[in-house]
Amino acid sequence: MTGDSPRVSGADPEHVEALVAAQAPLPPIIVQRSTMQVIDGLHRLSAARLRGDDKIGVVFFDGDEAEAFVLAVESNTTHGLPLTTAERKLATRRIIASHPQWSDRMIASVAGLAPGTVATIRRQTQDVPTAQTARIGQDGRVRPIDIAEGRRLAGQLIAENPGLSLRQIARAAAISPETARDVRNRMLRGEDPMPKSRTRTQAGGAAHETEPRDFTVPAVRTVLERTPVQHRTAVVERLRADPALRFSETGRALLRLLNVYTISAQNWEEIIDNVPPHCGGIVVRLANECAGMWAEFATRLERKVVESA
């Protein structure tokens, strides 16, 4: 089946003919297992039929219709014959409807559009839920859409409970620890928690500001203080949808390793509490060795990213 494709104009005859003329082995197409619908590879499938091939390689995708559509859009953005601008905008409108919790930047990375274009399409889309207070960014972190209310709540929490940590305040007010720090510092100086320089929303004129970015190097923290598990899980799920990782042996191995770190802080505590005393020393040594290997992995991968940029 070849329906429900972001390529609304159908297969491009010239591109199909080019694939036929090349006579090169055709890469596998991606098919949704539950529906047997082609997610990526419409031109390759047409070329195989014209060449008289009786079979073509297939990689199966296990996911729902919305996930399959996102993969189709992303696949047709990163390789092969690109989608037209009109097709990408139509696809963006559908992704906004199926994944309203995704940020403009995250959807833009999938559809191959500018974040500002996605924001414009979101405003023009009438059937998208409007009661959201936060969205998932491209890095998997959950960020508030408008943190003005978060700042006010943080100010109230600090006034009522001055002993709360920045992370506790940030979690309760749905803001970043850096924003919580800024609110606390402003209150210590006798200033309003809300900075004077802020923009106004086009619709209602309510206060709206951009989340401050923290470029400082984080200090060593305990498991309980690290990025909330839902953020890490969202990042891993984002990676899991990437065909380059999902459909390669080394990619799947990496995903299995990363999946270990999506367990909650409470589960980590339970594991720590239940390590038998006679095994403690061995586990400590292995954990330190694993941490060292991950640190080396991160350093070498970061170097590779910088060199290829």
Side-chain angles (χ1 to χ4, degrees):
M1 295 175 61
T2 57
D4 199 30
S5 169
R7 200 177 298 280
V8 295
S9 56
D12 183 280
E14 292 185 2
H15 188 62
V16 173
E17 287 294 339
L19 292 175
V20 173
Q23 290 297 317
L26 296 171
I29 63 175
I30 303 176
V31 175
Q32 186 179 14
R33 191 190 302 272
S34 60
T35 63
M36 296 303 292
Q37 183 169 282
V38 176
I39 296 174
D40 178 45
L42 177 63
H43 291 100
R44 278 166 278 163
L45 182 59
S46 298
R49 286 170 174 165
L50 286 176
R51 285 175 12 177
D53 297 344
D54 57 0
K55 60 183 179 180
I56 188 172
V58 171
V59 174
F60 287 107
F61 171 76
D62 295 304
D64 60 25
E65 181 180 343
E67 293 171 339
F69 186 78
V70 168
L71 177 56
V73 174
E74 189 171 32
S75 298
N76 283 280
T77 299
T78 57
H79 69 265
L81 185 66
L83 298 171
T84 65
T85 301
E87 288 171 333
R88 280 178 280 155
K89 287 183 177 180
L90 284 173
T92 295
R93 192 175 297 273
R94 177 167 168 179
I95 294 174
I96 289 172
S98 63
H99 296 77
Q101 74 279 16
W102 282 8
S103 70
D104 295 338
R105 190 171 297 278
M106 186 171 183
I107 295 176
S109 70
V110 171
L113 294 173
T117 303
V118 176
T120 299
I121 295 174
R122 192 191 293 271
R123 287 194 297 270
Q124 296 171 345
T125 303
Q126 301 299 319
D127 56 348
V128 174
T130 57
Q132 293 175 280
T133 59
R135 291 183 187 143
I136 301 175
Q138 189 175 357
D139 59 359
R141 291 184 60 190
V142 178
R143 293 181 175 87
I145 299 174
D146 183 350
I147 64 172
E149 182 60 31
R151 277 182 171 270
R152 284 190 285 270
L153 178 56
Q156 181 181 344
L157 290 170
I158 293 171
E160 296 176 353
N161 305 277
L164 289 176
S165 69
L166 292 175
R167 191 158 296 277
Q168 288 173 319
I169 296 168
R171 188 177 297 112
I175 58 177
S176 73
E178 189 63 22
T179 301
R181 187 194 309 279
D182 182 66
V183 171
R184 174 177 283 175
N185 290 340
R186 286 179 176 279
M187 294 182 67
L188 289 175
R189 296 193 299 265
E191 300 175 3
D192 191 281
M194 183 64 59
K196 292 182 180 179
S197 58
R198 58 184 185 268
T199 60
R200 297 277 176 180
T201 59
Q202 294 180 351
H208 182 86
E209 66 167 305
T210 302
E211 179 78 1
R213 299 174 65 186
D214 181 12
F215 292 100
T216 59
V217 178
V220 176
R221 296 172 290 179
T222 66
V223 169
L224 292 177
E225 294 176 314
R226 290 178 184 163
T227 307
V229 63
Q230 62 267 30
H231 298 172
R232 296 196 302 274
T233 301
V235 173
V236 174
E237 287 302 316
R238 182 83 173 85
L239 292 174
R240 200 185 303 280
D242 190 326
L245 293 175
R246 185 182 180 89
F247 302 129
S248 70
E249 184 175 346
T250 55
R252 289 193 294 270
L254 176 59
L255 290 173
R256 285 194 295 270
L257 289 171
L258 293 174
N259 191 61
V260 174
Y261 301 102
T262 62
I263 66 175
S264 67
Q266 181 180 354
N267 286 338
W268 280 113
E269 291 290 352
E270 291 176 356
I271 293 173
I272 293 171
D273 292 340
N274 288 281
V275 173
H278 66 278
C279 298
I282 298 175
V283 174
V284 167
R285 185 169 67 253
L286 287 173
N288 282 326
E289 290 178 359
C290 289
M293 286 188 285
W294 272 114
E296 181 181 356
F297 174 85
T299 300
R300 294 175 61 182
L301 182 58
E302 184 176 30
R303 187 182 305 122
K304 180 180 178 182
V305 170
V306 171
E307 291 174 350
S308 61

